Amino acid sequence: QVQLVESGGGLVQAGGSLRLSCAASGRTFSSYAMGWFRQAPGKEREFVAGISWSGNSTPYTDSVKGRFTISRDNAKNTVYLQMNSLKPEDAAVYYCAARSTVFRPSTDSSWYQYWGQGTQVTVSS
């Protein structure tokens, strides 16, 4: 069982930056693929970025490429999402997800085993 706790959300002006963190419990964090998803009001949850257990695979959705960076620190059991040049359309609740696997992270939310409670990101124009 893995518990995920997101933090770092908040209110930021368009063009600003935020760094989200997802802290995971458990001793086998390094064997988990991780993903960040987001859900805006009235919309479906969508994939934002993922990272494999090794960090070698880091897929992104097209709308955030070049602006967001996902990374992980296995010694700290934490995955990060650095978000730069934020836009109003990035506003959403951001969720961290995990799956125990050696394979690259999926963009499909149903593939993940564990989820955090979410952190709100608000971007003012």
Side-chain angles (χ1 to χ4, degrees):
Q1 188 75 10
V2 173
Q3 291 186 327
L4 305 174
V5 179
E6 302 96 334
S7 61
L11 172 64
V12 64
Q13 288 188 332
S17 298
L18 283 174
R19 188 176 81 156
L20 305 184
S21 299
C22 173
S25 65
R27 295 175 292 176
T28 58
F29 174 77
S30 60
S31 66
Y32 282 76
M34 305 295 295
W36 284 100
F37 288 77
R38 66 187 179 187
Q39 188 167 19
K43 295 187 176 181
E44 293 187 354
R45 188 170 298 190
E46 67 169 345
F47 173 80
V48 176
I51 188 165
S52 60
W53 68 274
S54 65
N56 289 337
S57 176
T58 54
Y60 295 90
T61 192
D62 286 346
S63 63
V64 309
K65 286 180 180 177
R67 299 188 298 121
F68 291 11
T69 302
I70 189 171
S71 62
R72 66 189 298 159
D73 185 337
N74 288 339
K76 295 183 178 180
N77 282 14
T78 302
V79 63
Y80 305 97
L81 186 68
Q82 178 66 44
M83 306 187 295
N84 299 329
S85 302
L86 282 161
K87 304 176 181 180
E89 52 263 41
D90 294 318
V93 177
Y94 282 71
Y95 297 90
C96 174
R99 177 177 174 126
S100 178
T101 183
V102 298
F103 296 109
R104 63 187 301 170
S106 172
T107 61
D108 184 351
S109 61
S110 65
W111 182 80
Y112 291 84
Q113 296 170 297
Y114 305 105
W115 289 85
Q117 82 289 348
T119 186
Q120 177 71 50
V121 171
T122 303
V123 183
S124 63
S125 57

